[in-house]
Amino acid sequence: MSLPPRVPSVVLAVGFAVVAGAVLVAASGGDPLAAYWQIAVGALAPDNLPNTLNWAVPLTGMALAVAIPLRGGMVNLGGDGQLVLGGLVAALVPLYLPLPGVLSMFAAILAAALVAGLYAALAAWGEVRHGVPMLISSLLLSYPAMGLASYLSGFPLRDRSSGLPQTVMIPPDARLPPLGDVLNVGAFAILVIAIAVVVFDRRSVVGYELRLRGLNPRFARYGGIALGRQAVATMFASGGIAGLTGATIVLGAQFRFTDGALVTPNYTWSGLMAALLAGGEPVGTIGAALFFAALQTGGFAMQRETAVPRVLTMVLQALVILFLAARHGLRRRAAP
Amino acid sequence: MAPALQASGIVKRYGPLLANDGIDLDVARGEVHAVMGENGAGKSTLMSILYGMQAPDGGTIRLDGVAVRFRSPAEAIAHGLGMVHQAFKLFSSLTVWENIVYGREPRRGPFIDGAAARRAAVALAERYGLAVDPGALVARLSVGVRQRVEILKALYREARVLILDEPTAVLTPPERDVLFAVLRRLVVDGRSVIFVTHKLDEVLAISDRVTVLRAGRVAARMTTRETSAREIVRAMTGRVVADRPDRVSMPQGAALLHAEAITVRGDGRVLVADANLSVNGGEVVGIAGVAGNGQTELVEALVGLRAVASGRVQVNGRDVTQSDVAARREAGLAYIPEDRAAVGTAPTASAADNLAMGFHRRPPLRRGWKLDGTAVRDWARRLIARFDIRIGSERTPVATLSGGNMQKVVLARELSHAAPVLIAEQPTRGLDVGAAEFVHGELLAERARGRAVLLVSAELSEVMALSDRVLVMFGGRIIADLPAAQADEERLGLLMAGRPGVAA
Ligand SMILES: Nc1ncnc2c1ncn2[C@@H]1O[C@H](COP(=O)(O)OP(=O)(O)OP(=O)(O)O)[C@@H](O)[C@H]1O
Ligand SMILES: [Mg+2]
């Protein structure tokens, strides 16, 4: 029922990227083998694995947030805004809504997903009702959301005792419990979401409808699928997952909302690349997200241990996508 | 003299499937050579090999006795081959002459010599009697004229062997007559034409010889003058196909599909103007008309794919004017759309996915929030068997099916809705004789079950044979509503040309 995975071309693209990256390192006077070795060790050595996983959790969340609409042929470029809104709401609920501990934590997560989901759905509604292309509106809606969060954390709700634009710390009993030294329970939340997305994609009626829309929207409409409603619901789910990802970072690691802290690691854009790499297919997306997380975590180690800057890993990521796109483009031209 | 084109022992495999199994074909200079065969017999595969779009797994091709091997259509064109595909490959935002000379423009210095190119296009058009306006935008042209542009494009590249794959499927009868006149001039000029079609009368009218394929092999080679429709059909199918089923008279029920004063606007024009129609249970109503006179828009308005400016639609007694597609289907409407690849299927999806659409929200395919994979598979297998769809398995993407088998996927799905109202648009386009008869039988069976069938077809013979009443559309209006007995070819032809005064 599902399409055959495009594994061979992905492997080939990764191979090309690795070779091109090696040439790049060698050309700038570095030792490519040492660089790659450090990436591998930095990502996968037992001591470093928790760090990699910790990096993979939000990246996977954001990758799924892109993959879901992509499966139906829609693009959500507003991940940053949704992530930040989720993080902000997750910080404010425990601070300003007097609820007992664990309850407060659950309320914060739910509210974060809800607000971010509605915000993403707004972009879909704009397209359905007013014909504003979602590709543009989802991206543009990101800026007011980040602006609002920046203002709130910088002025009215700022922690006066701190020099940074950030809220005060949330109470300890509203935080996500830790799992070992680095990870926290948020990893479970994303794992559950990931499993749910895969199951829905393969087994559910809505997954079927979304997949067929992605393959031919005119056919989906002809078959009786209400494309408008579907777009709004899909974007709600997508934004909700982005918001939840923001909540797990705030409630599980940072314990407060700090302006800019959610977007600087670039989870959104790495997630977008992972989803694109897999064409929105959930299992592939998760795999790609894990791969990119390993690459990026390894990049830190490489920068520490060799003279090669961490940027190399971002270059590799981009090259993989580029080679993949080129391959598909070429194949399309050869067989019209 | 060596044949203009000689293919021998052509083999093409798709996985386990032998699409071409050692085919020999030779086409003499100055002949129209028809290639016939059931859906999936391997005709399009063979043509795409001759034209360099695919490499054969075995066999050789000779042009005028010289062995050739094409790696791309460009090489085939350079050797004097031309092909007109069923889905045209023109640039619709360019003019006719720009399309004709594209890739081989006459130049003056670094610039395209527009005047010379136009002159060349006009001269070519006149020489073969192909009426086109060289300055017209392709986007504005009817299908028939677009096809002429395709032919001119091939002739401009000096095609000596012209391949036409089901060229008449989209043409009106007058357009088809023009095409045939052109083909006759071409062969008089010493060129050769390979003509793939399912229409026996056309083969008998235009071809000199026929090669019949069955299951990837040559089943027969005949000289047209010495054969008959019956013999060709027997070679294609290995049996005698029953004649068109008779339309026994039926008691008619209540109006199941009813539309009042439908007006549709688009692109700042009125596409359908004040259309009224009513189809009773146990009745087939045909809509005849030259393509582009509002039939498609009217049907889309009926099924809910297009907004109406005014008017009312009732399905099975329920007013569905405000309802979306799903609600109209729920009310009892099934729909076979004109364009099976763009609307009627998701070509890259599996047959199972395609056949489940519309059934996926109710049991047995749906179980709670789940789509039951086993039920979807069993459902697909049942339909594939019942409608004799030639396909590897239910997991195969429908894009790989032959045209006719893809149409069967759509038919199988829509007919199994057992909906009170069936709207069928060009339901037999591209189907072989046997499959077309099967569809006609199914449509009449729907009628016999007391259902209402609205049939839109460019094929007059089909409309006349199946319909109890015939409506004619012209310029967005329904200009005639005739009982079957009064709908003869001449009268319909005049009405379709928008001359009701003469026809009355
Ligand atoms: N790309 C492909 N991959 C797999 N199978 C294919 C592919 N193209 C064609 N086939 C199969 O090869 C067989 C011959 O197909 P072909 O399109 O040549 O038939 P045809 O004679 O043109 O039929 P029709 O009259 O329906 O157009 C069919 O069974 C079809 O499913
Ligand atoms: Mg064909």
Side-chain angles (χ1 to χ4, degrees):
Chain A
M1 297 235 327
S2 55
L3 290 173
R6 306 178 304 183
V7 171
S9 48
V10 169
V11 169
L12 219 74
V14 171
F16 274 129
V18 165
V19 171
V23 170
L24 214 66
V25 172
S28 51
D31 176 357
L33 283 183
Y36 284 137
W37 175 246
Q38 288 304 333
I39 291 181
V41 171
L44 303 177
D47 283 352
N48 303 332
L49 205 55
N51 280 319
T52 303
L53 286 179
N54 197 38
W55 192 264
V57 169
L59 211 164
T60 305
M62 294 312 288
L64 289 171
V66 178
I68 291 171
L70 194 61
R71 195 69 160 147
M74 297 171 276
V75 183
N76 175 10
L77 287 182
D80 270 345
Q82 295 145 22
L83 179 74
V84 165
L85 270 187
L88 180 71
V89 170
L92 298 186
V93 167
L95 289 177
Y96 298 96
L97 207 69
L99 285 172
V102 185
L103 213 59
S104 162
M105 182 186 82
F106 279 114
I109 294 180
L110 275 182
L114 192 71
V115 170
L118 288 175
Y119 199 66
L122 195 65
W125 179 81
E127 172 165 304
V128 172
R129 260 301 142 84
H130 302 289
V132 189
M134 202 157 73
L135 189 73
I136 298 170
S137 61
S138 65
L139 179 66
L140 292 185
L141 277 174
S142 224
Y143 297 104
M146 288 191 288
L148 176 76
S150 186
Y151 167 75
L152 288 179
S153 58
F155 299 98
L157 307 179
R158 175 170 176 168
D159 176 4
R160 304 277 161 210
S161 65
S162 130
L164 294 171
Q166 57 190 8
T167 65
V168 292
M169 301 278 268
I170 58 175
D173 52 357
R175 299 175 186 177
L176 289 169
L179 280 178
D181 292 337
V182 230
L183 289 165
N184 63 70
V185 171
F188 267 133
I190 298 293
L191 181 67
V192 169
I193 298 269
I195 293 171
V197 171
V198 172
V199 170
F200 261 74
D201 180 70
R202 304 215 162 158
R203 292 282 154 80
S204 76
V205 172
V206 290
Y208 166 82
E209 293 192 343
L210 190 61
R211 196 157 46 79
L212 274 114
R213 176 205 185 114
L215 295 175
N216 182 359
R218 289 183 72 189
F219 174 60
R221 197 162 104 84
Y222 151 87
I225 296 172
L227 296 188
R229 221 176 304 151
Q230 188 187 38
V232 172
T234 306
M235 282 299 276
F236 178 76
S238 159
I241 292 177
L244 185 132
T245 305
T248 60
I249 301 173
V250 165
L251 297 173
Q254 301 180 346
F255 308 132
R256 62 180 4 156
F257 180 84
T258 307
D259 189 27
L262 291 174
V263 294
T264 14
N266 251 327
Y267 296 128
T268 303
W269 302 102
S270 294
L272 177 78
M273 284 200 247
L276 284 178
L277 187 61
E281 196 280 315
V283 175
T285 299
I286 295 165
L290 294 176
F291 173 64
F292 284 170
L295 206 59
Q296 290 173 13
T297 325
F300 285 109
M302 174 188 68
Q303 179 161 293
R304 241 181 358 253
E305 304 294 329
T306 70
V308 183
R310 198 171 78 79
V311 192
L312 174 69
T313 56
M314 298 311 271
V315 174
L316 285 179
Q317 243 175 254
L319 283 176
V320 172
I321 304 280
L322 213 61
F323 283 128
L324 200 70
R327 254 183 76 79
H328 281 273
L330 286 176
R331 199 185 303 160
R332 203 167 307 142
R333 213 171 322 141
Chain B
M1 196 165 55
L5 180 143
Q6 181 175 38
S8 30
I10 300 290
V11 174
K12 181 72 191 177
R13 267 190 205 89
Y14 294 114
L17 188 126
L18 258 174
N20 281 183
D21 184 4
I23 293 181
D24 299 335
L25 173 74
D26 62 86
V27 181
R29 196 157 312 146
E31 85 162 334
V32 176
H33 195 110
V35 175
M36 297 201 74
E38 291 188 290
N39 294 127
K43 305 179 294 292
S44 297
T45 303
L46 178 63
M47 296 308 132
S48 66
I49 289 170
L50 297 181
Y51 193 55
M53 295 193 298
Q54 302 197 59
D57 296 321
T60 54
I61 302 171
R62 287 167 190 277
L63 289 177
D64 295 320
V66 182
V68 288
R69 181 172 290 257
F70 305 137
R71 275 164 308 180
S72 71
E75 291 186 12
I77 291 169
H79 282 82
L81 258 73
M83 179 154 175
V84 177
H85 301 267
Q86 194 173 335
F88 301 145
K89 303 189 169 180
L90 297 173
F91 299 105
S92 51
S93 59
L94 298 184
T95 61
V96 166
W97 72 262
E98 284 170 322
N99 268 288
I100 291 175
V101 302
Y102 175 80
R104 244 187 126 177
E105 303 86 354
R107 287 170 185 275
R108 188 190 291 151
F111 302 107
I112 295 176
D113 188 344
R118 268 182 103 107
R119 270 200 309 279
V122 171
L124 207 57
E126 270 175 12
R127 180 159 157 215
Y128 293 103
L130 285 150
V132 290
D133 167 9
L137 269 187
V138 166
R140 302 253 165 80
L141 303 179
S142 71
V143 193
V145 180
R146 277 184 212 209
Q147 188 180 61
R148 282 176 221 160
V149 178
E150 285 274 11
I151 295 174
L152 281 171
K153 203 172 137 184
L155 294 177
Y156 180 77
R157 281 159 188 69
E158 288 156 32
R160 278 168 288 126
V161 179
L162 191 63
I163 302 172
L164 302 167
D165 195 354
E166 297 192 42
T168 57
V170 291
L171 298 187
T172 60
E175 284 173 331
R176 182 197 57 201
D177 294 342
V178 172
L179 173 68
F180 285 180
V182 171
L183 297 187
R184 289 201 184 94
R185 286 192 203 205
L186 287 176
V187 294
V188 167
D189 204 30
R191 296 168 205 259
S192 311
V193 175
I194 304 178
F195 187 67
V196 179
T197 186
H198 289 296
K199 299 182 186 170
L200 287 161
D201 49 339
E202 296 182 350
V203 170
L204 296 175
I206 189 81
S207 72
D208 300 298
R209 288 191 299 155
V210 191
T211 295
V212 177
L213 304 186
R214 181 171 1 138
R217 296 174 185 231
V218 175
R221 284 190 193 83
M222 315 183 199
T223 303
T224 310
R225 248 182 297 111
E226 295 160 8
T227 187
S228 66
R230 187 173 287 267
E231 238 173 282
I232 297 177
V233 170
R234 182 155 348 122
M236 282 197 311
T237 60
R239 64 196 159 91
V240 181
V241 171
D243 283 338
R244 208 181 282 267
D246 281 336
R247 197 160 40 86
V248 292
S249 74
M250 277 279 308
Q252 289 189 7
L256 295 179
L257 175 67
H258 185 75
E260 252 174 61
I262 302 283
T263 297
V264 177
R265 277 183 239 279
D267 306 333
R269 292 188 300 139
V270 175
L271 300 169
V272 178
D274 193 30
N276 296 290
L277 68 86
S278 195
V279 188
N280 298 329
E283 185 185 37
V284 176
V285 171
I287 298 186
V290 175
N293 276 285
Q295 302 93 314
T296 305
E297 290 79 7
L298 174 62
V299 166
E300 285 178 353
L302 293 176
V303 297
L305 286 169
R306 192 181 268 270
V308 295
S310 64
R312 248 157 39 88
V313 181
Q314 272 184 8
V315 171
N316 205 10
R318 267 174 43 199
D319 190 316
V320 294
T321 314
Q322 305 298 329
S323 311
D324 63 6
V325 179
R328 291 183 196 214
R329 281 181 171 274
E330 194 62 36
L333 198 142
Y335 171 36
I336 298 162
E338 169 178 37
D339 194 333
R340 55 183 167 247
V343 179
T345 60
T348 47
S350 67
D353 280 347
N354 273 288
L355 289 167
M357 180 59 80
F359 296 91
H360 66 281
R361 285 199 195 141
R362 44 185 137 121
L365 301 199
R366 174 183 199 150
R367 277 212 322 237
W369 58 273
K370 276 172 78 173
L371 192 64
D372 185 334
T374 319
V376 168
R377 194 193 61 210
D378 292 345
W379 171 250
R381 286 188 182 166
R382 269 227 314 278
L383 293 193
I384 288 169
R386 179 158 126 63
F387 287 82
D388 190 25
I389 303 171
R390 307 281 165 82
I391 186 169
S393 85
E394 75 283 352
R395 290 188 304 273
T396 308
V398 298
T400 64
L401 295 185
S402 75
N405 278 300
M406 200 175 193
Q407 181 72 346
K408 282 192 181 176
V409 170
V410 177
L411 278 164
R413 185 187 58 226
E414 295 303 313
L415 288 178
S416 4
H417 276 291
V421 178
L422 174 68
I423 300 181
E425 228 179 335
Q426 318 293 356
T428 58
R429 179 179 286 175
L431 293 194
D432 67 46
V433 197
E437 289 305 331
F438 171 76
V439 171
H440 290 158
E442 289 289 328
L443 293 183
L444 289 180
E446 289 290 293
R447 172 179 175 272
R449 290 182 196 112
R451 303 197 176 120
V453 180
L454 182 66
L455 168 72
V456 181
S457 175
E459 199 102 25
L460 269 189
S461 60
E462 181 171 273
V463 171
M464 292 190 304
L466 299 178
S467 309
D468 297 292
R469 261 185 315 127
V470 180
L471 312 180
V472 181
M473 278 193 88
F474 181 78
R477 294 184 176 276
I478 295 178
I479 59 166
D481 182 343
L482 308 171
Q486 293 171 27
D488 55 68
E489 187 151 356
E490 191 187 356
R491 187 157 190 192
L492 290 178
L494 285 168
L495 285 165
M496 284 164 66
R499 293 159 67 191
V502 189

